[in-house]
Amino acid sequence: NDLKKYVVGYFSGLNATADIEVYAMDGKLLKRVQGIEEFVDLEVASGIYLLKLTSDNRSVIKKVIVE
């Protein structure tokens, strides 16, 4: 199980492109992907992460578990 295509499965209903930031639980930024329209392959190892999605000047932060 990984975070591939996470935006479509979890943040359905996006009306614009989005930026995604993946953080380790200690707050370290691991990856930033900009201009996502539908799909993203974040290529992260198993663990717990904070995922920040920004679209239309609004942000959502979710804790996700990758097995």
Side-chain angles (χ1 to χ4, degrees):
N1 188 8
D2 58 17
L3 246 49
K4 290 182 180 183
K5 300 180 183 174
Y6 192 80
V7 173
V8 170
Y10 198 78
F11 296 103
S12 61
L14 288 176
N15 296 324
T17 59
D19 297 336
I20 291 180
E21 295 175 347
V22 181
Y23 292 90
M25 291 305 293
D26 65 2
K28 179 181 176 186
L29 177 64
L30 301 176
K31 189 166 209 169
R32 178 179 291 138
V33 183
Q34 298 179 320
I36 306 294
E37 291 185 16
E38 293 184 22
F39 300 98
V40 62
D41 185 352
L42 297 177
E43 300 175 355
V44 293
S46 297
I48 301 173
Y49 300 91
L50 295 175
L51 187 68
K52 180 179 179 183
L53 174 81
T54 304
S55 179
D56 290 333
N57 294 323
R58 296 184 348 199
S59 294
V60 175
I61 298 174
K62 295 288 182 179
K63 182 166 79 171
V64 294
I65 299 171
V66 178
E67 297 178 345

